[in-house]
Amino acid sequence: MYPEYLVAPMRQELVDAGFQELKSSEEVEAAIPSEGTVFVVVNSVCGCAAANARPAAKAAVNNEKHPDKLVTVFAGMEKDAVDKAREYMLPYPPSSPAMALFKDGKLVHMIERHMIEGRPAQMIADNLVAAFDEYC
């Protein structure tokens, strides 16, 4: 685990954008399989989370069509919550950062780390917006 003082600003960046932090497997179980659309960001301390993933997620949720719920789990911190979220993301392997869109509890769109690294935040945001336009 990372020191909380280190990850606090990274957590806050998504919370300030309207995301709810899920810190237990029970919170994940209550959020993801619900009706409607749920956007999950697996947050991370890595550079591609800071430069690409979080800015893309924040930009995409400003789209006219956006998910009903915005939630986040933090890799390297709340292990049970992250593990539970990743169960819902199967068959995709564990990845952080990562982003997943669920509709009525079913995974409908996934962005893995390899799709985040080295890509501009706007390109990732455009990918998310297309998914939001289709499913939300």
Side-chain angles (χ1 to χ4, degrees):
M1 279 191 15
Y2 301 101
E4 183 58 36
Y5 71 86
L6 178 70
V7 301
M10 298 172 208
R11 290 183 190 276
Q12 197 61 43
E13 190 174 349
L14 289 179
V15 169
D16 289 346
F19 286 78
Q20 174 191 357
E21 286 188 282
L22 305 178
K23 293 188 174 185
S24 71
S25 59
E26 294 81 14
E27 289 176 332
V28 172
E29 288 176 337
I32 292 177
S34 58
E35 287 186 30
T37 50
V38 181
F39 179 42
V40 181
V41 174
V42 179
N43 203 349
S44 174
V45 299
C46 71
C48 66
N52 309 79
R54 289 192 299 271
K58 292 185 325 181
V61 299
N62 288 321
N63 186 49
E64 184 177 331
K65 285 187 171 183
H66 57 274
D68 300 316
K69 291 183 188 175
L70 309 173
V71 299
T72 182
V73 294
F74 207 107
M77 296 301 289
E78 292 79 31
K79 182 176 177 4
D80 291 342
V82 173
D83 288 349
K84 181 55 71 177
R86 286 177 171 161
E87 284 179 25
Y88 287 103
M89 295 174 193
L90 291 172
Y92 294 93
S95 174
S96 58
M99 301 177 211
L101 180 64
F102 295 86
K103 182 169 186 170
D104 298 329
K106 295 187 181 349
L107 181 64
V108 294
H109 191 74
M110 183 75 186
I111 296 180
E112 300 173 87
R113 179 185 177 107
H114 72 86
M115 300 166 74
I116 296 170
E117 286 179 304
R119 291 183 175 71
Q122 190 58 54
M123 179 185 288
I124 300 162
D126 291 344
N127 179 300
L128 291 168
V129 164
F132 295 170
D133 285 344
E134 181 175 351
Y135 296 107
C136 297

